[in-house]
Amino acid sequence: MATTVDQPRTGILASVERIGNRLPDPVFIFVWLIAVLVVVSLVASLFGLSAVNPVTDEEVDAKSLLSGENLRLLLTNMPVTFTHFHPLGYALVVMLGAGVAERSGLLGTAMRLGVRNAPKALLTPAVVAVGMLSNLAADAAYVVLIPLAGVLFAAAGRHPIAGIAAAFAAVSGGYAANLFPGQIDALLFGVTEAGAEILVADWQANIAGNWYLLAGLFFIYLPVIWYVTDRVLEPRLGPWTGGAVASSDHPVEGAPTAVERKALGRAGLSALILIAIWVFLTIGPGTPLIDEAARPEARFNPLYQSFVAGFFLLFLIGGWVYGAVAGTIKNHRDLVKMMSEAMADLAYYLVLAFAAAHFVAMFNWSNLGLILAIDGAEFLRWTNMPGPALLGGLVVLTGIINLFVGSASAKWALLAPILVPMLMLLGISPETATAAYRVGDSATNIITPLMVYFPLILIFAQRWDKNFGLGSLTAAMLPYSMWLLITGVAMIVGWVALDLPLGPGAVVEYVFD
């Protein structure tokens, strides 16, 4: 196991790290959170805590987790609660393929070739740019790019945890920025449309309604994450004195051999063939990856949702072809062994996911998350602030709520029916409301342990430094979160003040016909 050079650390981040590292194992953190949640739900239920659901106009009452209904859910749905935990399937499927690509030597050779002559200073912006663009691949980016960024940095002699942090900040903290609309746009604007129809029955969503702003944020967030990585985090981590490999048996030092280059070329050819098949499935007869019957903003959802399977096959087939040519995979038993070893690497994550899945589910059963989101939106209504200030407040409020309620679409489904029509009455378009929401939602993703992929990122970091704890990861990501939130608020307020178009046919103001 590789180590870093020990350096005395002082200041706020050091305090966050020390306090965080004194916490129990993350599995038991979730166990204790469940215990606290049970008590809070009981008290909230006894005091009659409630809120009106803006979607259904029904009263949402806090429910005790000790009620007969919730105890029955807990005891009868335990397997379902675990297996339906959202990120679990993504992690297992993609890592089955990625494990073959790693253990066959494909990833190591690709990284060697990619960084052998590349300036170290340009690694960070490259990782950050790819990270933000990879949001088009939805959740697959968490289990593909982030661990690869650690390998990439280590191969260049830089600290791998800095690479993991930069990629995490780009993929999760920067999901509000991109050069192209993607799955999250279709998801959020579908909810926005429902909120806008409360006032205007025929209002239609435009999936590209935030495109210009997303592109602008891309070029703002890139230097921000670059600066924090190179000037704040990496000096704090200290020099990397370990090797260039975390767990693969195939080192990434030195130039690739002729056989490895040949194997890499064959793997690249297999990737091109697979991509061509995906393109055919998208534009060919029957278009199985395009839902022609769906609304325009949802027609590409099958394509976006197929990216997880695409990455699995890309890594599996590429790793298999590479291993067959390079000699690291001699028969199908070697392939199955590599896939089995990849699952073994996720053993701890499975235990952690079991605890996290039950906490998330029980939080939903108690209705406390719904009540928190609804009351937060009502508070913004009560302040009666002017448009730009209200949008800045919406960004901050969303960031705070995101610390407790993880799902972007679930939160927006609760907030949009209040915020969208409220802002429309103030002359602010539904596209602007959506933009403000997504900026706040993304900025704090990277500092809350309740974010479903946070434990997995911790596992990736611990492959390089076994002493890297929950507090270490939180302290590493806190500067990113602060700067993303600050620049995001400034961007939204400035964009509204300058009255710039948010996307094709999407403006800041809304005028009733």
Side-chain angles (χ1 to χ4, degrees), residues 87-98 143 312 342-343 346 349-350:
L88 185 61
Y90 285 109
L92 293 176
V93 171
V94 175
M95 291 304 289
L96 271 173
V143 292
F312 163 69
M343 292 297 96
L346 291 177
Y349 179 67
L350 293 176

Side-chain angles (χ1 to χ4, degrees), residues 459-482:
I459 299 301
F460 291 149
Q462 288 177 341
R463 294 175 65 192
W464 298 94
D465 184 354
K466 64 180 180 180
N467 297 318
F468 198 81
L470 188 65
S472 304
L473 182 56
T474 303
M477 303 312 300
L478 190 58
Y480 292 106
S481 182
M482 293 173 58

